[in-house]
Amino acid sequence: LVHVYGYAAGIDMTRRDLQAEAKKAGRPWEMSKGFDHSAPIGEIAPASEIGHPAQGKIVLSVNGKVRQNSDIANMIWPVAGIIAELSRYVRIEPGDLIFTGTPEGVGPISRGDVLEGTISGVGTVRVRVV
């Protein structure tokens, strides 16, 4: 049994340079996902207040221009299914974050860019690349 405490908008960053290098060498590429500041999140919205989202617009803007635009309902697996499947392999504890990937529209960012991610009914995260 897994108890979900809350949800938050987050930005799932990837260092494509590290990922490509590791893939080419046949090595694991987790450092391309787990580098410092790779997973900024907004305020956590308690599940007891917002429920468990099955739909809601997902938008990522870079410098005010929409780069990604989709909906939770378009994910391959529903949120509850992702949590259930993952919990078969690892213990999920309060404070753990689960990033589910990203809609189409992935692209490079540069120093000074302002990224804003929003999930309708959940929240927003806003960061500047330094």
Side-chain angles (χ1 to χ4, degrees):
L1 177 64
V2 175
H3 181 78
V4 177
Y5 292 90
Y7 297 93
I11 301 176
D12 184 8
M13 307 290 287
T14 303
R15 287 270 316 260
R16 297 287 183 205
D17 58 334
L18 296 178
Q19 184 182 44
E21 180 182 311
K23 282 182 174 182
K24 184 177 179 180
R27 295 189 322 257
W29 45 274
E30 70 273 0
M31 288 311 299
S32 69
K33 299 297 284 182
F35 56 95
D36 289 345
H37 310 290
S38 65
I41 66 167
E43 187 174 330
I44 296 174
S48 61
E49 293 178 17
I50 69 164
H52 302 283
Q55 61 185 32
K57 191 173 183 116
I58 301 169
V59 178
L60 175 70
S61 297
V62 179
N63 300 323
K65 294 182 183 176
V66 174
R67 187 175 285 181
Q68 296 176 297
N69 187 356
S70 192
D71 195 283
I72 293 170
N74 294 334
M75 295 188 344
I76 295 169
W77 287 8
V79 173
I82 292 167
I83 295 167
E85 182 68 13
L86 183 59
S87 70
R88 292 179 55 214
Y89 301 99
V90 296
R91 180 179 305 156
I92 299 173
E93 298 284 344
D96 287 348
L97 302 174
I98 301 170
F99 279 79
T100 58
T102 184
E104 59 189 34
V106 170
I109 56 170
S110 301
R111 289 184 195 275
D113 284 350
V114 175
L115 286 65
E116 184 170 284
T118 302
I119 303 174
S120 296
V122 174
T124 298
V125 56
R126 188 171 197 265
V127 296
R128 177 180 300 274
V129 179
V130 294

